[in-house]
Amino acid sequence: MLSILGFAMVFTFLFLIMTKRISPFIGLTIVPIVYGLIGGFGPELGELMMEGILGVAPTAVLLLFAIMYFGIMLDTGLFDPLTSKIIQLAKGDPLKIIVGTAVLAGLIGFDGDGSTTMMIVVTAFLPLYKKLGISPIILASITIMQIGITTLVPWGGPAGRVASVLKLDPTQLYLQMLPGMLISLLYVIGVAYFIGLKERARCKKENIDFIPMQTAKIKDAAIESATIENIPSADSNLKRPKLIWVNFLLSTVIMVAIVLEWLPAAVLFIIGTALGLLINYPVLNDQRERLAAHAPNALAVVCMVLAAGIFSGIFKGTPISESMAQSLVAIIPTDLGAFMGLITAVVSAPALFLIGPDGFYFGILPVLAETAAAYGIDTLSLGTASLYGTSFGIMGPLVASVYLLTHITGISLSDLHKHAAKWSVGILLIYTIVGIFQGTIAL
C-alpha cells in the first residue's frame, strides 16, 4: 500500500505541474503533505519536513548567492565581450549560435556545478536567441543535456552519491564513464548542429538577415537590443569596463576554487558576492540597490528549492521510498538476474526522473546491487550502469537546479521535458553501447 501511495504521490505531482494546473512550488509543498497525511504520518511530518529543508539548505544558499553573484557580474558588463565575440564568430548565424551553446555548456560544465553552467551559458546566449527569434527551449535543452553529461565528473553529485552507497572511488566511476561522456558531448554538438540547420532555414524563410554584423557598433547594438527578461539587465551606469579584468580574475578564482574544492561552493559565492559588491559598487546605497534588484530572482528559485526539501523530506523520511524500491525490484523476473547491469541502466532513466537522484541512489541502488551480486556482477559495473540515466535525472522535477534554468529562460518545466527528453534517449543509448563494449553491460 505504501508503494502505491508513493507512486500516486509522484504521479499526482507530475500530472499537476505538467498540465500546468499548479506551480511547482505549490506542488512540491502541498502534494507530499496531503499524501503524508493519507499515509498516517501526520505526527511526523513537521520533523521530516525540517530535515528535508536542512538537507537542501546548502543548495539553496548556493543558488541564492550564485544568482546574486552572476547578476552583479552581468550588471558590470563582464559577459559583454564574450557575447560580442560570439556574435562576431557566429555572424548572427543561428547554426553557429546553437552549436556554440553546446560547446560552451560542455566546457563550463566540467566544474561539476550545473547551476553555474546554467547562469553563464544562458547569460551569454539568451540575448542572441531573442535577437533572432530562436526559442529559448532550444537553449535550455542543449544546456541541460550537456550538464547531464558533465555532472558525472568525480566532484559532481551523481558519482559522489553512487560512490558513497557502493563504497567505490568516484574516480573509478568517472574513468568508466569517460569514453561514453566524450562521445555523448559530441552527440549533443551534433544535435545542436541539426537543430541549427533548421533554425538557419527558418531565418532565411522569414528573411532574417544574419550575415552582416561586421562592425563593433553593430555588435554592441545587437547586445543592447536583446535583453534578458528574467535576469535584470545592466544599464550603462552600472557597467564597469575598467574593472572587467578584475571581475574576470575574481570569477576565474571562484571557478578554480570550486573545481579544486578549496571551500564549499556556497561559501565561495557568498565571498564572491561580497567582493563583487565591494569592488564594483563601494557606495553603500549602490550595494543595497544591487541586492534589491536581484533579490526577486533569487527568492523565486530559493523558494522552489526549499519546497523540494519538503517533498524529499517526507518522501525519504517515511517508509514510502523504501517500499517503492522493493516494488521496483520485485517486478524483475529472477531469470533475468544475469542482465542486472542492463536492467539497471534502463531503469535508471525513469527512476532518476520520477524519484530523483537521492531516492534512486540511496533507496533503489543498494537493493539492485545486492541482487546483482548474487549473479556475480561487481559493484563497479552496476554503479556505472546506474549513472547512465543521469541525463534524464538532471531534468527531473525533484532536482532543484532545473527550476533555475526554467526561470531564467522563461520556459515551463513540461516544455523542457518534451523537447530535451527525446534527444536524451540518444545519450542513454551511447552509454549502453559503450558499456557493452567495455564489458560493463553483460549480454
Side-chain angles (χ1 to χ4, degrees):
M1 289 301 295
L2 285 178
S3 178
I4 295 174
L5 186 70
F7 283 112
M9 179 175 73
V10 173
F11 283 117
T12 298
F13 169 73
L14 290 173
F15 172 77
L16 290 175
I17 65 168
M18 295 187 74
T19 56
K20 302 178 182 179
R21 295 172 185 247
I22 60 174
S23 68
F25 170 73
I26 295 176
L28 288 167
T29 304
I30 302 300
V31 172
I33 292 176
V34 171
Y35 277 91
L37 292 173
I38 294 173
F41 303 106
E44 308 169 33
L45 290 184
E47 183 178 351
L48 294 177
M49 286 188 284
M50 279 307 303
E51 289 178 359
I53 291 172
L54 291 175
V56 300
T59 300
V61 175
L62 168 63
L63 293 177
L64 170 63
F65 286 97
I67 292 171
M68 288 290 187
Y69 178 78
F70 285 109
I72 292 167
M73 290 299 106
L74 180 65
D75 289 340
T76 65
L78 174 63
F79 301 106
D80 285 358
L82 174 62
T83 307
S84 297
K85 189 65 176 177
I86 293 170
I87 296 177
Q88 182 182 14
L89 294 175
K91 296 182 179 179
D93 185 351
L95 171 61
K96 295 179 181 178
I97 290 172
I98 295 173
V99 170
T101 303
V103 173
L104 186 62
L107 292 174
I108 296 176
F110 273 93
D111 71 350
D113 183 7
S115 58
T116 301
T117 304
M118 292 172 188
M119 290 294 294
I120 294 175
V121 174
V122 173
T123 299
F125 280 96
L126 189 54
L128 309 182
Y129 278 68
K130 289 182 176 291
K131 178 67 177 178
L132 295 174
I134 304 173
S135 172
I137 293 176
I138 297 174
L139 171 60
S141 298
I142 296 295
T143 302
I144 199 72
M145 283 193 290
Q146 293 291 58
I147 291 173
I149 299 167
T150 57
T151 192
L152 296 173
V153 293
W155 50 88
R161 288 183 176 94
V162 173
S164 63
V165 169
L166 301 182
K167 295 180 173 58
L168 297 170
D169 182 352
T171 304
Q172 289 180 299
L173 292 166
Y174 174 62
L175 293 176
Q176 288 288 312
M177 293 297 300
L178 187 57
M181 290 172 61
L182 295 176
I183 296 173
S184 296
L185 288 169
L186 294 176
Y187 163 76
V188 176
I189 292 175
V191 170
Y193 184 85
F194 173 76
I195 296 174
L197 286 175
K198 295 175 64 177
E199 287 299 310
R200 175 191 276 177
R202 179 190 60 82
C203 286
K204 287 183 177 180
K205 184 177 181 180
E206 297 176 5
N207 295 320
I208 298 176
D209 185 9
F210 53 82
I211 297 299
M213 294 193 185
Q214 298 294 332
T215 66
K217 182 177 180 181
I218 294 178
K219 288 183 290 183
D220 290 341
I223 296 173
E224 293 298 328
S225 64
T227 60
I228 301 177
E229 295 177 357
N230 290 315
I231 303 177
S233 302
D235 59 41
S236 57
N237 294 328
L238 297 175
K239 293 185 178 181
R240 299 293 186 266
K242 295 182 179 180
L243 296 173
I244 189 167
W245 287 110
V246 177
N247 291 321
F248 177 78
L249 178 61
L250 176 61
S251 300
T252 302
V253 170
I254 291 175
M255 293 301 104
V256 171
I258 289 174
V259 172
L260 299 181
E261 298 182 314
W262 291 347
L263 288 172
V267 174
L268 288 168
F269 278 113
I270 292 175
I271 296 172
T273 300
L275 290 176
L277 286 171
L278 182 62
I279 293 169
N280 295 283
Y281 307 104
V283 179
L284 182 59
N285 285 337
D286 290 341
Q287 295 172 3
R288 290 173 176 170
E289 288 177 1
R290 290 303 87 219
L291 290 175
H294 299 292
N297 299 289
L299 181 61
V301 176
V302 170
C303 286
M304 203 74 65
V305 173
L306 296 177
I310 290 178
F311 191 105
S312 63
I314 295 174
F315 183 77
K316 291 163 52 182
T318 62
I320 291 176
S321 60
E322 182 180 352
S323 178
M324 292 173 67
Q326 296 291 347
S327 297
L328 287 176
V329 173
I331 65 175
I332 300 174
T334 55
D335 56 349
L336 294 179
F339 304 99
M340 281 299 298
L342 180 60
I343 292 172
T344 299
V346 174
V347 168
S348 68
L352 284 169
F353 182 85
L354 294 173
I355 301 176
D358 290 333
F360 178 66
Y361 292 129
F362 295 123
I364 296 176
L365 184 57
V367 183
L368 292 175
E370 290 177 8
T371 306
Y375 294 92
I377 300 174
D378 64 278
T379 54
L380 179 59
S381 295
L382 193 81
T384 303
S386 72
L387 293 170
Y388 288 179
T390 304
S391 293
F392 289 89
I394 200 71
M395 70 177 77
L398 300 182
V399 176
S401 60
V402 74
Y403 296 106
L404 171 65
L405 181 63
T406 57
H407 178 73
I408 60 180
T409 54
I411 66 174
S412 70
L413 186 62
S414 59
D415 288 339
L416 176 64
H417 291 161
K418 293 172 184 176
H419 193 272
K422 61 184 179 183
W423 298 112
S424 295
V425 172
I427 299 175
L428 177 61
L429 289 175
I430 289 171
Y431 285 149
T432 303
I433 294 171
V434 172
I436 292 172
F437 279 101
Q438 288 180 315
T440 301
I441 301 294
L443 293 179

